[in-house]
Amino acid sequence: MSAEERIKNYAVECGALAAGIASVEDINRYAPEGHRPDDILPGAKSVVVTGGPPTTAGAWRSPNPRITTLTRVYPMIRGTVVMKLAALIEREYGYYAVFYDGQAESGHNPFLSLKLCAEMAGLGTRALAGGVILNRDHGLLNFSCVVTSMPLKPDGPMEEPVCPHHSCIKIWEAKHTTPCLEACPTCLSGFLEGGRIKWMQFRRYLCEPRAQTTSTTAFRQKLLEIVNETDLEKRKQMVYGEFFSRIVRSLAFSSELVGGCIECLRHCPVCIKATTLRPIPRGGKP
Amino acid sequence: MKLTFAELYRRHRDTVFQLSLAIQNYDGKTYTPPPLSDKAIAEKIGLTAEEVREIRCLAEADALPASVWAEADVFKNERAKKFRRAEKI
Ligand code: SF4
Ligand code: SF4
């Protein structure tokens, strides 16, 4: 078994659904200076990217969107998966390795774009839904990675795009919309031409309140409102009220911080296929 | 004369915000214009990268009124209900 196969198989053994390898050279063609793998690890040659499900197929169907956020699957373990992968690379192959699971460098800017790394590792392609990476088999994935000085054979980006799905092309031809665009006109605009994305705009700042409803920005904005409130009774109600309490709980237990909205992808055919289960008949008498 | 941070913020907030990752445009192959790093924005508008970072972080938190956070739940609950009806769960 090659080192590449061993590393990717180990990622799956540790809990990832899929893994791929990107070359630093490919990533650096797009990543700005200061946000490249070699800014994290000088001499970096490869990035091993792991992907897993944002939540269970069951939680994807919950009528309560908060359940979907509270039961995040891969985000809970993705750091551990790449921590173990980094240890494997350092101990068994003798190359430096740094793991990264998307922590912010400042504000909303990451140290390194995991979406770009995943794209360059062939784990999927950009979607009309805000440029997330869609995987043909697994739909929406969450990512984490290991940046390493180990030279590995890269998988490289996929040649055929996953998005738009053929049924979205048909919808576009008939109605000039797609399930994702229809779901969230606030944040998304786009245009298909010749069965491909011609252009797409993602207004990330408008997505944040929905995707990170009880996260750090919400906390800071609410805090400012509270300290500016001069009516003491009202201030007390703001602090003890349900919404601010939920924000504080979310920060205290890291429970509803990010990934709080999947509405643009609920009707995405790629995601629906990936999250639709068929019960496996059990043997024996019913 | 050196400007105070409040003055710098008022003067550059919109430009920094527009050039950052806040609004992302994709042409089917790549992001065009590419969202810029703090360092690249700083070079473009003649500030230091630290000044741009501070302006950007403040602008990100300052972009929307405080009411949007609680309102977000209304949108998500509505959408989730629609999905439930569509899937007949
Ligand atoms: S995650 Fe939610 S808010 Fe963001 S683009 Fe999708 S539907 Fe819109
Ligand atoms: S619904 Fe999914 S496959 Fe269809 S255009 Fe949107 S992101 Fe692409």
Side-chain angles (χ1 to χ4, degrees):
Chain A
M1 191 191 292
S2 69
E4 288 80 0
E5 281 170 335
R6 164 115 171 81
I7 289 167
K8 287 192 271 183
N9 286 349
Y10 188 59
V12 174
E13 276 169 35
C14 291
L17 263 184
I21 296 169
S23 80
V24 168
E25 208 183 322
D26 281 347
I27 294 168
N28 287 357
R29 276 209 298 276
Y30 302 98
E33 200 191 316
H35 297 271
R36 294 175 173 162
D38 27 6
D39 292 311
I40 290 179
L41 176 68
K45 297 276 184 305
S46 316
V47 179
V48 183
V49 189
T50 76
T55 184
T56 64
W60 192 271
R61 279 158 179 74
S62 175
N64 185 343
R66 286 184 59 200
I67 294 296
T68 319
T69 328
L70 279 162
T71 56
R72 306 234 307 144
V73 175
Y74 200 59
M76 304 247 208
I77 61 161
R78 65 184 177 179
T80 313
V81 172
V82 285
M83 200 187 295
K84 289 170 99 173
L85 266 190
L88 174 88
I89 291 170
E90 292 204 335
R91 288 184 200 149
E92 293 201 13
Y93 296 100
Y95 286 93
Y96 295 109
V98 177
F99 61 90
Y100 176 61
D101 68 350
Q103 300 300 322
E105 181 255 345
S106 61
H108 297 321
N109 280 9
F111 284 94
L112 176 66
S113 165
L114 284 172
K115 286 192 284 190
L116 174 62
C117 293
E119 191 182 11
M120 294 299 126
L123 287 182
T125 64
R126 297 277 171 181
L128 201 55
V132 294
I133 304 298
L134 276 191
N135 181 285
R136 208 177 292 287
D137 300 321
H138 306 299
L140 180 67
L141 289 175
N142 280 122
F143 301 109
S144 60
C145 75
V146 176
V147 177
T148 175
S149 57
M150 185 172 180
L152 290 163
K153 190 169 177 290
D155 292 298
M158 289 172 66
E159 277 171 19
E160 279 305 304
V162 177
C163 167
H165 187 268
H166 57 83
S167 64
C168 298
I169 298 171
K170 281 200 186 125
I171 297 172
W172 177 266
E173 282 162 1
K175 300 202 282 186
H176 255 56
T177 189
T178 63
C180 55
L181 295 180
E182 194 271 329
C184 192
T186 305
C187 308
L188 306 174
S189 320
F191 199 91
L192 301 185
E193 193 177 84
R196 305 249 166 168
I197 299 173
K198 181 165 167 57
W199 63 264
M200 176 275 286
Q201 185 182 75
F202 174 46
R203 296 170 284 280
R204 187 190 67 177
Y205 75 104
L206 294 173
C207 173
E208 189 195 354
R210 293 168 177 179
Q212 305 188 6
T213 304
T214 51
S215 186
T216 51
T217 311
F219 176 74
R220 288 176 295 152
Q221 273 210 344
K222 285 286 169 194
L223 186 65
L224 191 60
E225 244 194 354
I226 289 164
V227 295
N228 283 339
E229 180 56 60
T230 49
D231 179 330
L232 294 188
E233 278 303 307
K234 202 167 166 207
R235 192 195 288 175
K236 184 160 109 183
Q237 186 262 322
M238 286 162 91
V239 173
Y240 292 165
E242 198 281 322
F243 192 63
F244 192 66
S245 302
R246 194 174 128 202
I247 295 176
V248 172
R249 214 166 45 236
S250 167
L251 296 182
F253 300 108
S254 301
S255 55
E256 290 180 76
L257 289 176
V258 291
C261 185
I262 54 159
E263 302 313 322
C264 49
L265 293 172
R266 268 195 203 269
H267 293 266
C268 167
V270 180
C271 295
I272 287 181
K273 183 168 167 262
T275 61
T276 300
L277 306 182
R278 276 171 194 67
I280 298 159
R282 287 182 287 178
K285 284 186 184 165
Chain B
M1 194 184 69
K2 195 164 162 45
L3 298 176
T4 64
F5 179 74
E7 287 164 334
L8 270 187
Y9 181 65
R10 268 196 299 275
R11 186 175 292 187
H12 296 288
R13 170 199 155 140
D14 291 347
T15 314
V16 168
F17 195 70
Q18 293 287 336
L19 294 172
S20 75
L21 283 158
I23 300 167
Q24 303 170 15
N25 292 291
Y26 183 68
D27 71 2
K29 287 193 185 73
T30 183
Y31 281 87
T32 353
L36 299 183
S37 65
D38 294 336
K39 186 165 174 275
I41 297 175
E43 281 160 11
K44 206 174 168 93
I45 63 176
L47 296 180
T48 67
E50 289 70 28
E51 285 169 332
V52 169
R53 182 186 303 134
E54 200 57 24
I55 292 169
R56 175 179 56 78
C57 290
L58 189 50
E60 283 172 353
D62 206 14
L64 298 164
S67 57
V68 292
W69 307 94
E71 286 162 8
D73 278 339
V74 177
F75 165 79
K76 290 187 275 185
N77 288 330
E78 275 305 308
R79 295 289 323 171
K81 262 191 226 140
K82 263 193 196 165
F83 180 73
R84 206 166 151 219
R85 279 199 297 272
E87 277 233 321
K88 297 190 184 66
I89 298 173

